[in-house]
Amino acid sequence: MTRLLLVEDEERLVTSLVDGLRTAQIDVTAVGTGREGLELAKSGDFDVMVLDIGLPDQEGFTVLRKLRATGSDLPVIILTARTSAEDVVRGLERGADDYMPKPFSFAELLARIRLRERRIGAADPATAVIEAGRCVLDPMTRTLEVNGEQVSLSNREFQLAHLLMSHAGQTVTRAEALEHVWGSASRDNVLDVYIRYLRSRMGASAIKTIRGEGYQFLG
Ligand code: CA
């Protein structure tokens, strides 16, 4: 899931954007000042930042300049009520990746965010190949290699394998697995069936059952 940092001080706009973005399966964190925005942007916990220019404590341009000075290449989309060409140029010169003149349509902003997601796709953990033990999982082709032998996976098998392998050595709870793969915790028995499928492909010892908790990928 894309993690988006929204730095915007207009509460009504924040409320509607957060609602819309969450509906679009984007994990949003919203703050209203440049100082908080810069701190969070530097944390490396986000995939994209949507940054307002007119903030109460400092200009978005300043936030952007300080962020780039730290060497961060976090994709930044600027929101600005100022539509003069000069402002746009200033934003792009200071390292913005894109800009949205206010007022804008939500659909247009979402399209620009999606475009950033695709550009960052190569470095995205969601598409990175995972190697753990005897297993290699390739998200781009949705294939699993076990001891060098290729196994193709259904969509849900892949999602479950990806979740377990990206947390190799850690316990993934049943609730987390159900929520991640099926979007709800209500289909409890289906999980056991899929764990059996994966064990039959990866080897029975690859996935350990942690009684009363969940599963651990051992490789
Ligand atoms: Ca503002």
Side-chain angles (χ1 to χ4, degrees), residues 8-10 52-56 102:
E8 167 61 71
D9 61 317
E10 273 172 60
D52 184 30
I53 291 305
L55 293 167
K102 287 180 183 174

Side-chain angles (χ1 to χ4, degrees), residues 20-32:
L21 292 167
R22 287 192 177 143
T23 304
Q25 300 289 305
I26 292 172
D27 180 4
V28 195
T29 300
V31 292

Side-chain angles (χ1 to χ4, degrees), residues 23-43:
T23 304
Q25 300 289 305
I26 292 172
D27 180 4
V28 195
T29 300
V31 292
T33 65
R35 186 184 55 77
E36 294 168 289
L38 181 61
E39 277 311 303
L40 288 173
K42 288 198 296 195
S43 70

Side-chain angles (χ1 to χ4, degrees), residues 4-186:
L4 183 142
L5 174 60
L6 173 63
V7 187
E8 167 61 71
D9 61 317
E10 273 172 60
E11 277 177 29
R12 279 201 351 220
L13 181 56
V14 170
T15 307
S16 76
L17 284 180
V18 166
D19 280 355
L21 292 167
R22 287 192 177 143
T23 304
Q25 300 289 305
I26 292 172
D27 180 4
V28 195
T29 300
V31 292
T33 65
R35 186 184 55 77
E36 294 168 289
L38 181 61
E39 277 311 303
L40 288 173
K42 288 198 296 195
S43 70
D45 291 342
F46 294 92
D47 302 311
V48 59
M49 171 158 72
V50 174
L51 175 65
D52 184 30
I53 291 305
L55 293 167
D57 60 332
Q58 55 189 308
E59 279 207 318
F61 290 131
T62 310
V63 174
L64 181 59
R65 184 174 47 74
K66 288 179 182 166
L67 178 67
R68 292 293 181 238
T70 69
S72 165
D73 58 0
L74 176 68
V76 175
I77 302 170
I78 279 183
L79 294 182
T80 177
R82 307 172 215 189
T83 50
S84 77
E86 193 191 325
D87 259 353
V88 169
V89 169
R90 231 175 122 198
L92 297 175
E93 275 178 353
R94 291 195 181 192
D97 298 273
D98 206 346
Y99 71 97
M100 288 289 307
K102 287 180 183 174
F104 55 85
S105 76
F106 178 74
E108 194 178 348
L109 178 64
L110 188 61
R112 291 185 190 224
I113 292 167
R114 296 291 189 215
L115 190 67
R116 290 297 131 204
E117 285 175 345
R118 278 201 294 280
R119 298 227 173 120
I120 61 177
D124 189 333
T127 57
V129 172
I130 303 178
E131 289 188 54
R134 296 162 303 145
C135 300
V136 181
L137 188 70
D138 184 349
M140 301 303 274
T141 56
R142 307 220 148 191
T143 52
L144 173 72
E145 260 184 35
V146 184
N147 284 331
E149 278 195 34
Q150 234 179 45
V151 178
S152 61
L153 299 175
S154 73
N155 195 28
R156 294 212 200 273
E157 287 167 338
F158 164 78
Q159 287 177 41
L160 184 59
H162 191 267
L163 179 69
L164 291 168
M165 288 179 68
S166 57
H167 295 87
Q170 301 164 32
T171 303
V172 172
T173 67
R174 293 183 64 87
E176 281 165 355
L178 287 162
E179 183 67 40
H180 181 87
V181 181
W182 288 273
S184 91
S186 62

